[in-house]
Amino acid sequence: MPLNIPLRPNSSSITVMEDAGFYKQKSANQTGREKLLKHVPLEKLMDLKVDYAFKQLFGSDKNKDITVVFLNAILKKSGRKVIKEIAFTSTESGGEYVDDKQSRLDFLAITDENERINVEIQFTNKYDMVKRSIYYWAGIYRSPLQKRMSYKELQPVIAINIMNFNLFQQTDRFHTMYHLYEDEEKFKLTDVMGFHFIEMPKLIRDWKNGNLDPWNDVLVRWLLMLGMVDYRNKKVYDDIYQELEAIAMKDKSVRAAFQNWEQLSMTQEEYFAYESRLKQINDEEAAQREAELRLQEAKEKAIREGREEGFVKGLEEGKKDGRVEGKQEGLAKGIAEGKAEGIAEGIKEGEKSTQEKIARRLLINDMDSETVAETTGLSIERVIQLQREI
C-alpha cells in the first residue's frame, strides 16, 4: 500500500550535499516560510550520532520535554505506557573486576512509572553490541537491590541502542525490539526486560527509497533528525532538513529540538568539546585498524613459519613411521600431519604474542581494559594481568 506522504514542494531542488561549501542559505522551498535555522548553516550543526552531542541534547534536564517525546516515539512501538515525566540519574556503571574503569552510559532516565531507560548511541562498531547491551541492562536492573529488599521491588529496565552502523543481517527493518518469550506459544515471560536496536544506515536507505513518512510517523521524524548530519561520510541531507523544517511548523517539540541543537552547535565551548570527542573517536578507530593489520600480519607470518616447521616435523615423523611400518605411506602421512600441526601451533603462538604486544601498547596509551580485550581478542583477565605488569 503506498504511503500517504504530503508532496514536497519543489522537490526537484532537493539535493544531498556532499560538500558543505556548496550550501546555499535559502533554497527554493523556503520561500515564504520562516527559517528553522536562524544563526547556523547546516554544515555547522553537530552530528547527533556522536555521543557527546546526543547526550548534550537529549540527556539534559533543560531539554527534558523533548527527551520525553523522543522516548515515547520509540517505546510506543512496543506497547509500553506513555511516559509523562523523567528524571536523569547516574550515568556510571561499575566494572565487573576490581581494576576495571567505570563505564559511562550515554544517559539513564527513570520514568514516572519507576522504569529505567538506558539510551546508548554508538558511532563506531567496535563492541559486541548485543552482549554489551545485556551487560549494561543487568547492571542497571540489579543496582537498586539492597539488603532486605524483595526481588518484587526490582523495576523494569529498557535498553535503547542507536547505532551508526548495521548490526542484524536477518532483517531490513531499522528498528527491532526484543523481549523474553516462550519458545512454542510465544507468550511473554516478563515485562521487566526490553531491548531496542535502531540501525541508522537502514533508516537512511529507506528514506532514499521513499519508504518513510515523517508526517505520520513520529519516530521517523526524530530519527531523520539524528541522521540529517553525517560526519562519517561528510554529508548533510538537505532534503531531510527541508522536510523537517516544514513539519516543525506544526510540531513544537521538533522545533524546540532544532532550536536547542542550533544553540548547542554555536556555543564555542560545546563545539570545542564536540570536536575533541571526534578526534578521540578517530584515534580509537585508527588504533583498532592498526591492531587488525598487525594481527593479520602475525597470522601470515605464523602460516609461513608453521609450514617450515611442519615440513621438518612431518619429515621426521614420516621417517619414523616408514621405518616402523616399512611403508611409503608412513612418510606421506607423517609429513601431512606434521604440516597441519605445525601450522596450527605457529598461528596460535604468533597470534598470542602479537595480541599481547598490541594490548600492552594500548594500555600504555590509557585505553581501558574492556576496550583492549575487545580490540585484541584477549580475555579480560589476561588484559588486567598485563596492565599490572606495565
Side-chain angles (χ1 to χ4, degrees):
M1 180 181 294
L3 295 173
N4 181 24
I5 304 177
L7 294 176
R8 303 174 190 171
N10 298 323
S11 59
S12 60
S13 67
I14 295 173
T15 58
V16 175
M17 296 188 297
E18 301 285 350
D19 186 342
F22 290 101
Y23 174 74
K24 295 181 179 180
Q25 189 69 21
K26 290 185 178 181
S27 57
N29 65 345
Q30 285 182 307
T31 304
R33 188 172 74 215
E34 182 183 4
K35 290 188 301 180
L36 186 57
L37 295 178
K38 300 180 183 298
H39 307 291
V40 175
L42 290 184
E43 73 273 10
K44 288 297 183 180
L45 287 175
M46 295 180 182
D47 187 339
L48 293 176
K49 296 182 295 300
V50 176
D51 50 10
Y52 178 82
F54 180 83
K55 183 176 179 179
Q56 295 306 107
L57 184 62
F58 291 103
S60 169
D61 276 315
K62 68 178 182 179
N63 298 330
K64 191 162 56 174
D65 290 343
I66 66 172
T67 305
V68 168
V69 176
F70 175 61
L71 293 178
N72 277 326
I74 296 174
L75 300 179
K76 179 182 178 182
K77 303 287 184 179
S78 58
R80 300 198 80 90
K81 291 181 180 179
V82 173
I83 299 170
K84 297 179 181 178
E85 179 65 30
I86 60 172
F88 296 106
T89 186
S90 171
T91 55
E92 284 194 353
S93 177
E96 189 72 18
Y97 301 91
V98 175
D99 290 345
D100 278 1
K101 295 181 180 179
Q102 295 288 329
S103 299
R104 298 291 298 179
L105 310 176
D106 286 336
F107 74 79
L108 179 63
I110 302 178
T111 74
D112 48 323
E113 295 285 335
N114 207 26
E115 296 177 321
R116 283 170 166 77
I117 302 176
N118 175 41
V119 183
E120 292 289 310
I121 190 156
Q122 291 295 325
F123 193 79
T124 303
N125 186 11
K126 62 177 182 178
Y127 302 112
D128 187 323
M129 277 304 302
V130 174
K131 291 182 179 179
R132 175 185 173 91
S133 185
I134 294 172
Y135 176 81
Y136 279 0
W137 178 92
I140 297 168
Y141 181 66
R142 70 173 182 265
S143 61
L145 191 64
Q146 305 295 330
K147 289 183 178 180
R148 293 183 294 276
M149 281 183 64
S150 168
Y151 288 113
K152 291 182 180 179
E153 296 178 75
L154 289 173
Q155 298 297 319
V157 174
I158 299 99
I160 298 173
N161 302 280
I162 304 170
M163 301 164 297
N164 192 38
F165 50 87
N166 289 335
L167 182 63
F168 301 111
Q169 305 299 321
Q170 304 94 320
T171 179
D172 288 330
R173 291 163 49 223
F174 63 83
H175 179 202
T176 51
M177 298 162 285
Y178 304 86
H179 301 85
L180 288 177
Y181 289 95
E182 199 283 327
D183 283 350
E184 293 189 15
E185 297 183 45
K186 307 302 179 185
F187 59 85
K188 191 184 293 184
L189 175 65
T190 177
D191 66 349
V192 301
M193 173 185 287
F195 294 90
H196 294 252
F197 290 89
I198 295 172
E199 300 166 272
M200 292 301 296
K202 291 180 180 178
L203 174 92
I204 296 300
R205 176 208 60 201
D206 286 352
W207 168 257
K208 291 178 179 179
N209 293 336
N211 296 328
L212 299 180
D213 178 10
W215 290 85
N216 296 305
D217 191 324
V218 178
L219 177 59
V220 164
R221 70 184 67 158
W222 284 99
L223 293 180
L224 284 175
M225 188 172 74
L226 296 185
M228 192 181 84
V229 177
D230 186 355
Y231 169 81
R232 166 68 45 77
N233 296 307
K234 308 302 180 187
K235 291 181 181 179
V236 180
Y237 290 93
D238 185 56
D239 56 341
I240 293 178
Y241 172 69
Q242 303 297 343
E243 198 84 350
L244 294 178
E245 185 181 44
I247 291 172
M249 296 303 104
K250 296 185 178 182
D251 187 331
K252 64 180 182 179
S253 295
V254 170
R255 186 163 65 252
F258 265 92
Q259 290 168 351
N260 285 295
W261 187 9
E262 182 178 35
Q263 182 64 38
L264 179 66
S265 299
M266 64 186 291
T267 304
Q268 185 175 0
E269 294 81 4
E270 298 284 14
Y271 206 85
F272 177 79
Y274 165 74
E275 288 187 321
S276 297
R277 176 57 181 144
L278 283 177
K279 183 180 184 302
Q280 183 182 5
I281 290 173
N282 290 333
D283 289 346
E284 289 173 353
E285 290 181 343
Q288 183 178 7
R289 179 57 180 160
E290 181 181 358
E292 292 171 353
L293 291 174
R294 288 184 177 275
L295 284 176
Q296 182 61 34
E297 290 174 1
K299 287 181 180 179
E300 293 173 357
K301 181 179 179 181
I303 289 173
R304 291 194 300 270
E305 293 177 352
R307 284 174 177 167
E308 296 173 1
E309 182 181 344
F311 181 79
V312 173
K313 186 173 182 179
L315 186 60
E316 293 174 353
E317 292 296 321
K319 288 180 178 178
K320 179 180 177 181
D321 287 349
R323 287 195 299 270
V324 173
E325 299 179 16
K327 297 180 181 179
Q328 189 66 26
E329 288 87 346
L331 177 61
K333 179 182 177 183
I335 291 175
E337 292 179 352
K339 282 183 179 180
E341 184 179 348
I343 291 173
E345 290 180 357
I347 292 175
K348 184 176 180 181
E349 290 302 317
E351 282 185 350
K352 182 178 178 182
S353 175
T354 304
Q355 286 171 325
E356 292 186 352
K357 288 179 182 178
I358 294 170
R360 287 190 179 91
R361 187 172 176 182
L362 297 177
L363 290 168
I364 290 171
N365 288 310
D366 293 329
M367 184 176 286
D368 64 89
S369 54
E370 180 186 356
T371 305
V372 171
E374 291 169 345
T375 300
T376 60
L378 294 172
S379 68
I380 188 68
E381 293 87 352
R382 181 55 181 156
V383 171
I384 292 172
Q385 184 180 355
L386 293 173
Q387 191 174 39
R388 290 169 176 165
E389 294 173 359
I390 295 175

